[in-house]
Amino acid sequence: MINIISSIVLLVISVSQLNIFEIDGVFSSAHVRSIERHIEETQYTQNDLLVIQYSSTKYSEKAVDDFEALITDKEFVKAMWVGPYSIEIDYGITAGFDILGFVPGTVITNVPFTSEIEAKYCSLNTCTSEGKIIIVEEEGIFGDYLVVGSIGAFLENINDSEKFSNNVQLSIKEDTFEAINFLKPSLMERFYIAISEPIFTYMFFVLGFALIGLELFAIGPGIMAFIGGLLVIISSLPFQEFGINYLGIGIFIVAYLIYLKILSRGYFSVLGIAAFAILVLSSIVMFSNYVISVNTFLLAFISIGLAFFYFIAIPTVIRSRLTTDTSAMTSFVGRDAVYIQKLDGNAALVNIGKSEVRVESDPEKKYIVGDSYQLQENDGNLEI
């Protein structure tokens, strides 16, 4: 890292290459890997400038530690601008940079206050006992950091400026401004960043299991099971980095097995309500230790959506059963069946021997629970 403490030697750098790497979404190990790969491929020299434009509001502690170690170890000039809107940023993310810029109103958290840090920030900005620094609302150059509202203003002020109190004076060539490279993580890394958002993690995870469960009853070429398995694998990638609670996954498996039982029975009951309650509980437990705060109401909303998915899937499975070969069912014609309860439409659940069977019923006839009724055939369906 370039020495910014000594006030004897002024290092003037004529910048020949300027790259701006944008960090947005959930700041994760995918960002760190992408920046590390970019640095290795570019092979920076002391005449190159890397600018990080940071606008992420969520992050993992692992990403912060790895990023700090990566940036501190490099010998070329590094600058960071936090913007374009005011956010909270961990102090560790800003460590290792030679030049810092903030949008007005930025809040720096987890600050390990020392006399040097207090002298740098606390005379002009608001420093709190909770380890926070609230950047002032007015723009300007304050010592060795800037407060500006845009990346353009940031680059303009660090170019050939003698107002910094550190030892770095940059001179960015005009043709360098015309060839600025704006960089982002790769497509796969951006996908990882997207699914690191806990709502998407949970949604893809439960949807994957739902598709696998549906494939078990609506047997096909296996496309739904393949997509479902892929969703489960992809959604589980951020589990270790962001601290998923594996007890919640165990509770979710219990809810999932109950939903499979409901699908096999062909109708909802108190068991369906219990499965939904366990599903909501599992989502809360899964993200109880997550490093990113999660909106519980959104988790419950996704659980409701999954329950409706099963409400739609169950009639579909039942209809597929009723349109298959019914020759085996006609062997029950003439036998007595004990009435259990009414299902949806004209359907009823009856007991034949030791088996519970779904049959059709006469909508104009009143049935009594526990009474026996003779089974008849009507258009290939059993009816009481």
Side-chain angles (χ1 to χ4, degrees), residues 247-308:
L247 175 62
I249 295 180
I251 299 174
F252 168 80
I253 296 299
V254 173
Y256 177 69
L257 293 176
I258 295 176
Y259 272 121
L260 292 184
K261 176 64 177 177
I262 294 171
L263 280 169
S264 65
R265 293 172 63 180
Y267 64 94
F268 272 90
S269 61
V270 178
L271 198 61
I273 300 174
F276 173 72
I278 295 174
L279 182 65
V280 175
L281 175 63
S282 72
S283 68
I284 296 173
V285 175
M286 282 174 65
F287 294 96
S288 59
N289 298 330
Y290 217 63
V291 297
I292 300 176
S293 60
V294 187
N295 191 320
T296 305
F297 292 103
L298 287 179
L299 293 177
F301 180 77
I302 293 175
S303 299
I304 293 173
L306 181 66
F308 274 108

Side-chain angles (χ1 to χ4, degrees), residues 67-299:
F67 184 67
E68 181 178 356
L70 172 66
I71 293 299
T72 306
D73 189 44
K74 305 308 174 186
E75 296 182 354
F76 55 86
V77 183
K78 307 166 293 291
M80 169 181 276
W81 178 66
V82 181
Y85 41 83
S86 57
I87 60 170
E88 289 191 0
I89 180 172
D90 191 283
Y91 179 83
I93 300 175
T94 67
F97 284 91
D98 305 297
I99 302 172
L100 288 172
F102 306 96
V103 74
T106 299
V107 178
I108 307 173
T109 62
N110 300 322
V111 181
F113 281 113
T114 62
S115 57
E116 183 180 348
I117 294 176
E118 290 177 358
K120 177 178 178 178
Y121 289 105
C122 297
S123 59
L124 295 172
N125 307 290
T126 303
C127 296
T128 68
S129 58
E130 291 83 16
K132 293 183 178 181
I133 299 174
I134 304 173
I135 301 298
V136 294
E137 293 293 337
E138 68 173 293
E139 297 186 8
I141 300 176
F142 306 101
D144 57 353
Y145 67 93
L146 298 84
V147 179
V148 289
S150 67
I151 186 67
F154 177 71
L155 295 176
E156 181 180 350
N157 280 279
I158 67 175
N159 182 33
D160 202 22
S161 175
E162 299 180 1
K163 297 181 180 180
F164 293 113
S165 60
N166 61 25
N167 296 340
V168 181
Q169 181 179 335
L170 301 180
S171 177
I172 304 176
K173 301 175 182 178
E174 185 175 346
D175 57 346
T176 303
F177 272 116
E178 296 175 356
I180 296 178
N181 298 314
F182 286 88
L183 307 168
K184 280 182 173 288
S186 66
L187 182 61
M188 290 303 298
E189 287 165 338
R190 276 181 280 172
F191 185 73
Y192 177 89
I193 294 166
I195 63 172
S196 297
E197 182 68 45
I199 294 302
F200 292 119
T201 302
Y202 180 63
M203 182 172 64
F204 288 155
F205 186 74
V206 299
L207 181 59
F209 272 96
L211 291 175
I212 294 173
L214 188 57
E215 182 72 34
L216 295 176
F217 294 91
I219 299 176
I223 295 176
M224 285 189 295
F226 174 78
I227 296 175
L230 193 62
L231 287 176
V232 171
I233 293 173
I234 290 173
S235 62
S236 61
L237 292 177
F239 281 2
Q240 183 175 359
E241 179 176 355
F242 290 89
I244 202 75
N245 190 331
Y246 290 98
L247 175 62
I249 295 180
I251 299 174
F252 168 80
I253 296 299
V254 173
Y256 177 69
L257 293 176
I258 295 176
Y259 272 121
L260 292 184
K261 176 64 177 177
I262 294 171
L263 280 169
S264 65
R265 293 172 63 180
Y267 64 94
F268 272 90
S269 61
V270 178
L271 198 61
I273 300 174
F276 173 72
I278 295 174
L279 182 65
V280 175
L281 175 63
S282 72
S283 68
I284 296 173
V285 175
M286 282 174 65
F287 294 96
S288 59
N289 298 330
Y290 217 63
V291 297
I292 300 176
S293 60
V294 187
N295 191 320
T296 305
F297 292 103
L298 287 179
L299 293 177

